[in-house]
């Protein structure tokens, strides 16, 4: 290897072995390969994959279940592969280790944009491979929808550049099938859009109106123009709260009209209503919590030495298949009355996401209204996440978003991939017949 190979006891190992989610048990990988280039990735696969220990690639390391940092296994950390090169044809080549803030800053410098998530240190690889939901989703599609090609080292050590015409089945699988399957991507090539100047906004109503807000929001978001993407947060407690945040890529006057329509549907004046016009980069920094700061602030927290921020949480998801009636919204609110230290995050989809069919990519939830993240910052409340997930099934549907992977979830194969599961499993097995890239919720285990 040209990069470093860290073993227990080596300088830097302890920090490199920490999972993003500190609610998980501590992990002690047998080795962490901090690869410097594609040749290092090939060497790692040839020497360690399928040799009897867990083996996983890691980009941002944000796997909710910690699958990218397997205990007693080998981690192939691609963080050094972080280039963001905007080309003359407005495509962008991005190294698999690039963090989202690297991507947004690199694109903004060329006045281009890519839809993606809000956490600045998430890796582009995990986000894309699972689909990629964010604040510009309805305007431009999922992150994986803009993928033109990818370079991947498969389980046999071979390098494939895959696209719609070359290894098309593997290219299909890389768009929403979830990270950790079949090989290690070293580079992505995306199409991009002209960078918008979005208007971000916040809207909230009294807690007594939360059920009405939820029901009205599902219908309003479903019928909104593609340039309007919002997230509705429903906070747990005896009187569940509500807050809507969003991004609009059109004019201020049109946004006011759209917000007035929602307010009218709720039937109550909001307790908060703000709008702010900004640049693409500052908008993404705002949602990452580092707006109006140097880009470096989007990587670090206040721990001594500038340690990368980590979180302590439990999470899972459901996918909201249809709009909610008032009675169904009441059920959701009742579910949240029995919880504490928890929030439901309804991320609006639809828009450009619906331009593709459920089978065009491995991501199956094309007709959904929203992705619903169940998130608690109570590290001991994994059972609460499971209980809420199960309670939401008759209300929202049985689907789940693979990037919000929940290790205690049952029936996850169908939930993540729906009718695409069989094709995804067959494709993964054809490129990794010995199951070198195994992990507890791999499609191969379904």
């Amino acid at each position: 290897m040209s990069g470093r190979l860290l073993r227990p006891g080596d300088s830097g190992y302890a920090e490199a072995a920490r999972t993003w989610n500190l609610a998980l048990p501590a992990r002690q990988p047998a080795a962490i390969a901090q690869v410097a280039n594609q040749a290092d990735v090939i060497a790692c696969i040839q020497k360690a994959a399928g040799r009897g220990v867990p083996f996983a690639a890691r980009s941002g390391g944000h796997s909710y279940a910690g699958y990218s940092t397997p205990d007693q296994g080998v981690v192939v950390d691609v963080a050094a592969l972080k280039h963001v090169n905007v080309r003359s044809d407005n495509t962008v080549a991005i190294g698999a280790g690039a963090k989202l803030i690297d991507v947004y800053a690199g694109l903004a410098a060329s006045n281009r944009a890519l839809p993606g998530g809000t956490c600045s240190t998430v890796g582009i690889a995990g986000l894309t491979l699972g689909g990629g939901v964010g604040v510009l989703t309805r305007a431009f599609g999922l992150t994986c929808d803009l993928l033109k090609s990818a370079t991947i080292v498969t389980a046999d050590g071979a390098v494939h550049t895959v696209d719609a015409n070359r290894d098309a089945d593997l290219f299909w699988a890389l768009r929403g099938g979830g990270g950790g399957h079949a090989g290690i991507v070293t580079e992505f090539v995306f199409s991009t859009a002209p960078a918008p100047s979005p208007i971000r906004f916040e809207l909230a109503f009294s807690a007594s109106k939360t059920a009405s807000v939820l029901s009205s929001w599902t219908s309003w978001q479903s019928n909104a123009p593609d340039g309007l993407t919002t997230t509705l947060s429903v906070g747990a407690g005896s009187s569940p709260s509500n807050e809507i945040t969003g991004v609009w890529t059109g004019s201020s006057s049109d946004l006011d009209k759209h917000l007035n329509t929602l307010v009218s549907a709720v039937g109550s004046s909001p307790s908060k209503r703000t709008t702010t016009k900004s640049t693409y980069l500052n908008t993404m920094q705002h949602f990452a919590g580092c707006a109006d700061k140097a880009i470096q602030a989007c990587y670090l927290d206040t721990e001594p030495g500038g340690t990368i921020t980590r979180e302590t949480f439990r999470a899972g998801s459901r996918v909201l298949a249809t709009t909610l009636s008032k009675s169904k919204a009441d059920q959701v609110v009742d579910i949240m009355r029995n919880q504490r230290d928890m929030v439901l995050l309804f991320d609006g989809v639809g828009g450009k996401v619906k331009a593709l069919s459920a089978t065009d990519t491995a991501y199956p939830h094309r007709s959904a209204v929203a992705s619903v993240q169940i998130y608690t910052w109570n590290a001991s409340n994994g059972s609460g996440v499971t209980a809420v997930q199960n309670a939401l099934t008759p209300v929202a549907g049985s689907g789940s978003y693979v990037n919000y992977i929940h290790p205690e979830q049952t029936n996850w194969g169908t939930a993540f991939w729906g009718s695409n599961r069989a094709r995804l499993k067959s494709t993964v097995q054809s490129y990794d017949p010995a199951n070198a890239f195994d992990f507890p919720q791999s499609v191969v285990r379904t």
Side-chain angles (χ1 to χ4, degrees), residues 27 29-35 41 44-45 48-51 53-59 61 63 66-79 179-185 432 435-440:
R27 307 290 170 86
I32 302 171
Q34 296 178 328
V35 299
V41 174
C44 289
I45 290 175
R51 302 285 179 155
V53 297
F55 184 86
R58 186 172 72 187
S59 175
S63 168
Y67 293 148
S68 57
T69 308
D71 197 34
Q72 303 302 315
V74 174
V75 177
V76 182
D77 191 325
V78 300
H181 289 116
I184 300 177
V185 176
D432 183 13
N435 201 18
F437 289 92
D438 184 36
F439 62 97

Side-chain angles (χ1 to χ4, degrees), residues 26 59 103 125 131 139 174 185 221 301 341 345 352 372 377 389:
S59 175
V103 175
L174 296 181
V185 176
Q221 177 68 106
D301 68 3
D341 302 325
L345 299 169
K352 286 292 194 295
V372 189
W377 44 97
Q389 187 176 57

Side-chain angles (χ1 to χ4, degrees), residues 81-136:
L81 310 182
K82 59 181 182 179
H83 59 274
V84 180
N85 299 329
V86 180
R87 300 168 169 177
S88 60
D89 63 355
N90 289 326
T91 61
V92 60
I94 303 177
K99 307 301 186 286
L100 293 188
I101 192 59
D102 299 321
V103 175
Y104 300 147
L107 286 169
S110 296
N111 202 32
R112 306 300 296 179
L114 184 70
T118 55
C119 184
S120 58
T121 54
V122 161
I124 188 65
L127 177 80
T128 303
L129 296 174
V133 173
V135 297
L136 293 171

